[in-house]
Amino acid sequence: MRTVLFSLTVLFSITGYAASSQLSDYFKEVWTTRDGLPHNTINAIAQSEDGYLWIGTWEGAARFNGRAFTVFGRGEPSGMPDVGIRTIYRNHQQHLIFAGARGGLSERRQDDWQSWPPFKVLINAVADDTQGNLWVATEGQGAYRQTPEGERIQLTIQQGLPSNVVSSVLTTEDGIVWLGTGRGLVRLNREDDNFQPELVAGLPAVPVLALIAYDNGLLIGTERGLYQYQAGKISVFSPQLMNLPVSVLLAFDEQIWIGTTDRGLLRYTDAGLESLTMAAGLPNNRILSIFRDRENSIWVGTNGGLFRLRDAPFVTLTAEQGLAGDYIRSVLSHSDGSIWVGSSQGVSRVTTAGIETIDFSANSDGQSVLSMVEGPEGSVWIGTYSDGVLQWQGNTVVQQFNRRSGLLANEVRAIAVAPDGGLWVGTGHGLNYVDSSGVTSYTTEDGLPTPFVMGLYLHDDGRLFIGTGGGVVIRRPDGHITPVDISNLDDAEYAFGFAPDPDAGLLWMSTDRGLVAYELASGRLTMLGRDAGLPFDKVFQAVIDRDRHLWLSSNRGILRFRREQINEYLAGQRQSVDYELFGESDGMQSAQANGGSMQAATLAQDGTVWFATSKGASRVNPADLTRFSANTPPVVIEGFKVNGSVTPLQSEKDIAAGADRIEIQFAGLGFVMPERIQYRTQLQGFDNSWVERGSNTIAEYTNLPPGDYQFLVSASYPGGAWSEKNASFRFTIAPYFWQQTGFWFAVLLGAIAIVIVAHRWRMKSLRQRAEELSSQVAEQTYTLKRQADNLRKVDEERSALLLELKRQAAEFEQQARSDKLTGLANRRAFDEALHSECARARRREQPLCLALLDIDHFKQINDTYNHSIGDQVLMQVAQEISRFCRDEDLVARWGGEEFALLLPNCEREAARVICERIRQAITEIDSTAIAPSIALSISIGVTTYQSADTFDLLISRADSALYTAKEKGRNCTQLI
C-alpha cells in the first residue's frame, strides 16, 4: 500500500522567508518495498521516451507505470551482470543507459536491450558526448571513455587524475568533459585522442558528488558545500550552503533542488532556502537522486524509499500550517476576502498574509465551533458546540446568547441573520429567533419535524428554509410553518444544508439520499441521487462555482458535476449525470468531509472552493483543473493473455484455434493522477466504435470468431484530450477446420458428386433394362421393379445425406452461439436476444428485467487452485443459475466469471425474488468434490428496462447495480 504524506514543514535559514505556501502546496507521496519496490535505496530516477519512470535500486531497476512496479534484474533481458543499479542516464538518442554493481553497462532501446562487457568495478555515473562516446565514472578505477565501437580508454592517477574515485561526470555542449573525483573537479581538454586532465583551482580537495550545467557554467556539489563555476572561476554559490554535503542537484526555472548526504532535501530560489527533512515526512535524510518528470513532478530518491512532490487539485490546511485544529466543521467566505475556518479547537482566519487564530476563550471554554455566518456589518456570528452563539467584531466578542439567555440548547449548528438584525439560531433542541424583544423558540409542537436543526437558509422574500434530522420545513413571513415532503424522494430524511442557485431559480438541499433541487417559484422537487448516477447516498453541502458547476461534499470525497449535464437532467433530457470524484490522491488529507452544520463548504472571493473535512480545510481552484488535464498521458500495451496464459508481446501475434478468452492489459503513463486516467478501446474487426473503459486497465474478450484483429487503446485525464497516438496490437485467431471456407466448399462438392454419380448410375441401369425388355418382357418387368426399388433407396439415401448436412450446419451454428465451457448462450447470442426482447417489451409495453451476476472472489479460486478447478466452478454455477430460471428466461455467460440473465415479462420484484433464489442456491453449492474449502457466493445487479433506454444504458445500469452490490460487501442482490 502506498504511503501518502500530507504535510511539509518548511524550515528557513538565515533569510527567514515566510512564504511557506510555496512548498506546502505540493502533494507528497512515498513508495517503499511495501508498494512493490525491490529495495528502499533509490540510487537513480529517469524517464524513458515511451513515458515509463525507471527507478534504480540495489535490487534491480523498477519500471513504474503509475500504478505498479515491474522489476528488471540481472541476465535477460537487461544483460546486467548484477541486480545493483547505481545510475540511469538518458543519452542523446533518448535511450536509457543502466550501470552499477560489477561494472554492468546496458542500454534500453525502443524494442530491445544492448549490453557491453562489464567493467568489473562499481560505476557511479555515465554521460555521453556528441561523438557518441560514453564516459564512465567508477569507484576506484578512475574514468573510462568507451567509443561507439566498444573500444575503451582508461584515465587514472597515472594519466593525471587526482583520485581514482570518480563520483560524477558531465559533458557540456562545448565538448568539454568534467569529472568529479574524490579530490576535486577535473576538466578534460581534448586534442585528438589525447586527454589532458586539468584540476580546476578554487575547490577544496574533497569529493565532488554532483555536477550540472547552470547559467552558462556549472553547479558543483561537494562534501563541503555548493560551488559555481563561471567564466573560468570558482566561487561559493551561497554562504547559506557552505559546508553542506551536497550529493545530487537539479536546476530549472530559477529553482535549484539540492540533495544532501545527511541533511535532507533543499530548494533554493530568489525567495530563500527551504529545507525538508525526515521530521517533515522525508523517508530518509540521505538523498541519492532527484528527477523532474514530464508532468513537472519532483521525484526524490532516498535511503528509505521513493518520495514525490507534485501539484494537486486540492490543497489542505491543517494545524501544521497554523489552523487552530484539524477537525473542521465550518468554513466561511468573508466579504473582506478572508476565509474563516471553524474547528473543534477554535477559529482561524486565513488571509494572504497568513493564518491567525481567533481567541474567544473568555466566552467559550473549549472553543469548539459548529457554524459560522457573516453579519450585515461584517461581524461574524460563531455557533459553538457547548457555549451557544457569539458575535465577533473588532477583535472581540460583542454579544453572546446561550441557554441562560433563552436558547433551547448551547449546541448551535445553524445561523441565519435577518435583514432587520434579527438572528435565527438552529440548535440540537430546536430553533430560536433572537431580536431586541427577546428569544422566541420553535420546536416540534410548532411544526418542526424534529428538534435537531442542521441548516438554515433565509430567502430574499422572507421564507426561512429549515433543515432538520426529519426533513425540511419552510417558515413563511406570516409565521406559518409548512413541510416540504422529501420522503418520497428515495425516502430522504436528513437535510444537512442549503445552497441557493439564483441563476437557475433553485435551492439545492443536501440530504441523506442525495441532492434535491427545489424550484423556488413552483416548489417542484427533483432528486439527484443514486438513480441519477451518484455513487453514494449521503451528501452534506453544495457549492456553485464561478462557472456555475456544482460541487458537493460527502463522507467519501468531493463530487463535481458540470452545469450543462445538470440542466439536461433537470429538463428530463438525460437519465443520469457524470461526475468527478476527488479524494486523498488529489491532495485532500482526508476524503471524509464534515456536515450537519453550516457552512460545511463555501465559495471564496478568489474563486476557490473550500470544504470542511475531518483532517483540515481543503480548497480547490476549479480554474486550475484544466491544467491538470492538459497533459495527455502516453499509453502502452503491457500484457496479452490467451485463455489465461501470458503470451509475449510482439508486433503481430498468431493465435491457434480455440482461443476462448483474450485479455489485453494496458496503462496510461501519467503520474499526476494515475488512478483517474480514463481509457477507451476499440477492437477493429469486432467493435464498430470506441468502448469507454473508465479507469479499467484490462480489456477482455470471450469467444471471438476466427479472423484478423487490431486492438487500439487511448488514454486521457478527466476532461482532457485523448492520446493523439494510440497504442495498438495486431493478432489473428486461426479457425477450426470446420470453420474454414474450404471445408464447406469440399462438403458442397461432395454432395454434388454423389448426386451426379447416382444419376449416371440410374441412367445406365435404365438402358440395361430397356435392352433386356426387347428380348424378354416378363424378365424386364421383374427387373424394372427391382430398379424402381433401387431408385427409391437412392432417393432416401440422398435425402438422409442432405438432412445430415443440414443437421451438422445447425450444430455448427449452435456452437458459434454458445459458450464452450458452460453450454450457456454466449455474448453474441445474448446481444441478439437482448435486442429482440427490448423491442418486444417496448412494442407490447411488457416488463423486462436484466441481471448481471458475478462470482465473488473468483480470482482467488484460480490463484489458490488452478484454472481447471475454476472452470468446474463456472460449470457448477451455470447449472445452478439455469435451474432456477423460467423457460422463457435467457442465461448467458457474459465473460470470465460474469453471467447475464434476461427476464422477459418479469416485474422488478419478481426479478428480485428469482435472483435471490439463485444467490441463495449458489451459497449452498457443495464444491468439496472439486476442491476443499471452496465457498461460493455471487453478487447480482438488477435493473428494469425503460422505453427510452439504449442497450448500452440498460447494461451500464445493471453493471452499476452490480458494482454497488460488490461495494456493499458482495453476496447480495442490488436493484437499480
Side-chain angles (χ1 to χ4, degrees):
M1 185 66 183
R2 183 176 64 190
T3 303
V4 182
L5 303 174
F6 298 100
S7 62
L8 179 61
T9 300
V10 182
L11 306 174
F12 299 96
S13 59
I14 300 172
T15 60
Y17 180 65
S20 61
S21 61
Q22 291 184 0
L23 278 183
S24 63
D25 284 354
Y26 277 105
F27 183 59
K28 279 71 63 180
E29 294 164 288
V30 172
W31 291 263
T32 66
T33 52
R34 295 182 178 181
D35 308 301
L37 280 171
H39 196 278
N40 283 333
T41 297
I42 311 302
N43 294 318
I45 310 170
Q47 192 166 22
S48 54
E49 184 69 10
D50 54 15
Y52 281 111
L53 203 70
W54 290 83
I55 314 299
T57 78
W58 289 127
E59 290 296 329
R63 189 184 71 185
F64 189 40
N65 65 8
R67 299 186 181 205
F69 295 93
T70 302
V71 180
F72 292 77
R74 67 183 179 92
E76 297 299 327
S78 69
M80 294 290 288
D82 189 85
V83 295
I85 303 297
R86 178 66 179 85
T87 185
I88 306 174
Y89 173 73
R90 185 167 174 172
N91 65 14
H92 286 78
Q93 288 75 40
Q94 308 306 313
H95 300 159
L96 294 186
I97 296 178
F98 297 78
R102 300 197 183 187
L105 191 68
S106 291
E107 178 180 354
R108 180 186 180 268
R109 300 176 177 178
Q110 183 174 0
D111 299 320
D112 61 359
W113 293 71
Q114 178 185 356
S115 60
W116 292 276
F119 287 84
K120 299 186 184 303
V121 65
L122 175 65
I123 296 176
N124 287 321
V126 176
D128 70 331
D129 58 28
T130 55
Q131 287 77 39
N133 298 311
L134 282 179
W135 292 88
V136 180
T138 74
E139 186 72 21
Q141 292 184 11
Y144 289 85
R145 186 198 71 169
Q146 176 174 291
T147 67
E149 294 75 25
E151 298 178 0
R152 294 173 177 175
I153 296 176
Q154 183 179 13
L155 299 176
T156 65
I157 293 176
Q158 284 72 26
Q159 284 74 39
L161 294 184
S163 171
N164 281 338
V165 175
V166 182
S167 300
S168 54
V169 59
L170 174 69
T171 61
T172 51
E173 295 179 357
D174 54 9
I176 297 176
V177 178
W178 303 84
L179 300 176
T181 77
R183 294 183 61 81
L185 177 65
V186 169
R187 168 178 172 158
L188 295 182
N189 298 313
R190 178 178 176 180
E191 293 180 0
D192 297 328
D193 283 336
N194 297 319
F195 298 93
Q196 301 175 352
E198 175 189 344
L199 183 63
V200 178
L203 286 173
V206 296
V208 175
L209 304 178
L211 289 171
I212 61 170
Y214 178 77
D215 194 19
N216 297 320
L218 302 179
L219 282 180
I220 307 163
T222 77
E223 281 191 352
R224 293 187 184 175
L226 181 63
Y227 293 82
Q228 183 173 11
Y229 177 88
Q230 203 166 34
K233 296 182 179 180
I234 293 288
S235 61
V236 174
F237 182 78
S238 170
Q240 301 172 26
L241 301 174
M242 281 295 295
N243 297 319
L244 187 74
V246 177
S247 58
V248 64
L249 294 166
L250 173 69
F252 63 90
D253 297 342
E254 299 182 355
Q255 302 180 47
I256 299 176
W257 294 77
I258 305 165
T260 70
T261 59
D262 59 2
R263 304 180 194 180
L265 178 69
L266 296 90
R267 183 175 72 167
Y268 186 90
T269 65
D270 291 340
L273 183 66
E274 303 162 277
S275 174
L276 174 66
T277 65
M278 291 179 64
L282 262 182
N284 192 278
N285 281 342
R286 182 173 175 80
I287 308 300
L288 301 167
S289 51
I290 307 176
F291 180 75
R292 179 193 185 203
D293 69 14
R294 297 173 188 172
E295 296 172 310
N296 298 318
S297 294
I298 303 297
W299 299 82
V300 182
T302 77
N303 255 8
L306 179 65
F307 182 74
R308 197 254 298 266
L309 299 170
R310 68 169 170 90
D311 284 335
F314 282 76
V315 175
T316 301
L317 299 181
T318 64
E320 190 168 355
Q321 281 77 42
L323 294 185
D326 284 340
Y327 196 83
I328 311 302
R329 298 192 183 100
S330 178
V331 286
L332 169 67
S333 175
H334 198 276
S335 58
D336 63 7
S338 63
I339 298 294
W340 292 60
V341 181
S343 74
S344 60
Q345 295 176 274
V347 174
S348 301
R349 182 171 177 263
V350 182
T351 66
T352 56
I355 301 175
E356 63 174 317
T357 299
I358 305 300
D359 183 12
F360 54 96
S361 56
N363 300 83
S364 175
D365 292 335
Q367 299 190 87
S368 181
V369 176
L370 290 175
S371 55
M372 293 185 295
V373 69
E374 182 179 0
E377 71 288 350
S379 66
V380 176
W381 288 93
I382 302 173
T384 69
Y385 190 83
S386 58
D387 296 294
V389 59
L390 53 90
Q391 184 181 21
W392 180 269
Q393 188 174 22
N395 293 323
T396 187
V397 175
V398 295
Q399 290 190 83
Q400 183 173 10
F401 302 99
N402 51 31
R403 189 187 295 274
R404 291 190 300 271
S405 309
L407 295 186
L408 291 169
N410 285 334
E411 179 185 338
V412 177
R413 292 184 171 270
I415 312 168
V417 181
D420 59 3
L423 187 69
W424 291 97
V425 182
T427 76
H429 292 169
L431 177 66
N432 293 110
Y433 179 71
V434 183
D435 60 8
S436 58
S437 61
V439 179
T440 306
S441 299
Y442 300 86
T443 65
T444 53
E445 297 178 355
D446 303 292
L448 294 184
T450 68
F452 194 73
V453 178
M454 295 179 288
L456 295 172
Y457 169 67
L458 186 59
H459 193 48
D460 296 341
D461 60 9
R463 284 181 290 175
L464 179 67
F465 290 79
I466 307 167
T468 75
V472 179
V473 294
I474 302 174
R475 182 190 182 278
R476 302 189 179 278
D478 59 6
H480 287 88
I481 295 179
T482 58
V484 177
D485 186 10
I486 60 173
S487 62
N488 60 344
L489 300 176
D490 200 13
D491 197 28
E493 184 174 359
Y494 280 78
F496 297 108
F498 303 102
D501 191 354
D503 291 339
L506 299 174
L507 179 64
W508 294 99
M509 304 177 178
S510 306
T511 77
D512 59 343
R513 287 294 185 269
L515 190 62
V516 176
Y518 177 86
E519 293 185 7
L520 289 165
S522 64
R524 179 174 174 264
L525 297 171
T526 304
M527 169 64 82
L528 189 69
R530 286 293 187 99
D531 291 342
L534 261 69
F536 36 75
D537 290 326
K538 190 180 299 182
V539 294
F540 293 139
Q541 183 67 53
V543 176
I544 313 298
D545 67 20
R546 285 180 173 178
D547 295 324
R548 300 190 62 235
H549 299 316
L550 192 67
W551 295 79
L552 196 57
S553 66
S554 77
N555 270 329
R556 297 164 63 181
I558 305 300
L559 295 163
R560 183 176 80 146
F561 304 91
R562 297 191 176 275
R563 172 60 59 170
E564 53 271 18
Q565 291 198 8
I566 293 289
N567 291 342
E568 291 171 1
Y569 180 80
L570 294 177
Q573 298 172 358
R574 62 184 303 138
Q575 298 297 316
S576 62
V577 293
D578 300 325
Y579 63 86
E580 293 178 72
L581 178 61
F582 299 92
E584 293 168 355
S585 64
D586 302 299
M588 300 181 68
Q589 294 198 17
S590 172
Q592 178 187 328
N594 284 327
S597 56
M598 59 180 289
Q599 292 282 335
T602 189
L603 177 66
Q605 288 189 5
D606 61 1
T608 57
V609 185
W610 291 69
F611 299 93
T613 80
S614 62
K615 183 64 175 177
S618 293
R619 71 173 187 265
V620 61
N621 189 346
D624 286 344
L625 290 178
T626 54
R627 174 167 58 88
F628 291 96
S629 60
N631 291 326
T632 301
V635 62
V636 294
I637 296 175
E638 293 193 323
F640 185 74
K641 291 184 179 180
V642 178
N643 293 341
S645 299
V646 177
T647 302
L649 283 173
Q650 302 170 356
S651 57
E652 294 188 11
K653 188 71 179 177
D654 293 327
I655 303 172
D660 298 328
R661 185 170 67 238
I662 301 292
E663 181 181 301
I664 304 174
Q665 302 159 356
F666 42 86
L669 301 182
F671 303 95
V672 173
M673 298 181 289
E675 299 86 355
R676 296 171 58 77
I677 294 177
Q678 304 294 298
Y679 300 92
R680 62 177 184 177
T681 65
Q682 184 178 14
L683 184 59
Q684 294 181 347
F686 181 76
D687 296 324
N688 295 324
S689 60
W690 287 98
V691 177
E692 303 292 338
R693 296 284 182 181
S695 59
N696 188 14
T697 58
I698 295 177
E700 187 172 357
Y701 302 91
T702 57
N703 299 318
L704 288 174
D708 297 326
Y709 299 93
Q710 182 176 18
F711 177 79
L712 303 176
V713 58
S714 182
S716 75
Y717 282 121
W722 291 103
S723 309
E724 294 183 2
K725 183 179 180 181
N726 303 319
S728 64
F729 178 70
R730 292 181 179 272
F731 61 93
T732 300
I733 300 178
Y736 287 110
F737 74 93
W738 46 264
Q739 293 176 312
Q740 301 179 31
T741 304
F743 170 79
W744 290 105
F745 185 70
V747 170
L748 179 61
L749 289 179
I752 294 174
I754 292 173
V755 172
I756 292 174
V757 169
H759 177 71
R760 288 181 177 179
W761 181 80
R762 180 185 180 195
M763 294 304 296
K764 182 179 179 180
S765 298
L766 288 175
R767 286 195 298 270
Q768 290 175 349
R769 298 302 180 268
E771 293 174 355
E772 293 175 359
L773 184 62
S774 61
S775 60
Q776 195 173 8
V777 174
E779 184 179 350
Q780 288 181 356
T781 302
Y782 174 76
T783 301
L784 288 173
K785 183 176 180 302
R786 291 182 59 192
Q787 290 288 341
D789 292 341
N790 289 336
L791 287 174
R792 282 194 298 273
K793 183 177 180 181
V794 169
D795 287 338
E796 290 174 357
E797 291 176 351
R798 183 181 64 182
S799 298
L801 177 60
L802 291 175
L803 288 173
E804 178 63 16
L805 291 174
K806 291 181 180 179
R807 185 188 65 78
Q808 291 182 0
E811 288 180 355
F812 295 151
E813 173 66 19
Q814 178 63 25
Q815 292 176 9
R817 294 168 56 83
S818 64
D819 178 67
K820 180 179 179 181
L821 177 64
T822 63
L824 300 176
N826 61 12
R827 179 68 177 273
R828 174 184 172 186
F830 183 82
D831 287 345
E832 293 175 357
L834 180 61
H835 183 280
S836 174
E837 291 299 336
C838 287
R840 179 184 301 172
R842 184 170 53 252
R843 183 173 61 255
R844 297 183 179 180
E845 296 184 354
Q846 293 179 341
L848 174 65
C849 289
L850 171 64
L852 292 182
L853 307 85
D854 186 87
I855 302 176
D856 296 331
H857 306 296
F858 182 74
K859 185 176 183 302
Q860 294 181 1
I861 296 175
N862 281 336
D863 293 343
T864 304
Y865 302 97
N866 54 50
H867 287 280
S868 175
I869 297 299
D871 289 344
Q872 294 183 56
V873 170
L874 287 171
M875 289 188 287
Q876 270 193 334
V877 171
Q879 292 174 0
E880 202 67 17
I881 295 174
S882 301
R883 188 165 69 88
F884 284 91
C885 294
R886 306 170 303 172
D887 293 340
E888 62 268 34
D889 298 337
L890 176 66
V891 185
R893 187 178 177 191
W894 184 255
E897 66 270 26
E898 290 188 77
F899 298 83
L901 179 58
L902 193 60
L903 303 167
N905 198 19
C906 183
E907 297 288 347
R908 176 187 178 98
E909 179 58 23
R912 187 193 65 78
V913 171
I914 292 173
C915 290
E916 276 298 290
R917 289 175 180 171
I918 292 173
R919 185 190 63 77
Q920 183 63 34
I922 296 301
T923 62
E924 297 173 359
I925 290 178
D926 182 7
S927 298
T928 56
I930 299 175
S933 304
I934 292 183
L936 298 179
S937 67
I938 60 172
S939 300
I940 307 177
V942 185
T943 190
T944 304
Y945 174 75
Q946 302 174 13
S947 59
D949 280 348
T950 63
F951 304 141
D952 288 343
L953 181 58
L954 181 63
I955 293 172
S956 175
R957 201 162 57 240
D959 189 63
S960 177
L962 176 59
Y963 178 77
T964 302
K966 290 180 179 181
E967 279 197 322
K968 288 186 174 181
R970 296 183 170 88
N971 194 20
C972 65
T973 300
Q974 179 67 34
L975 279 73
I976 191 172

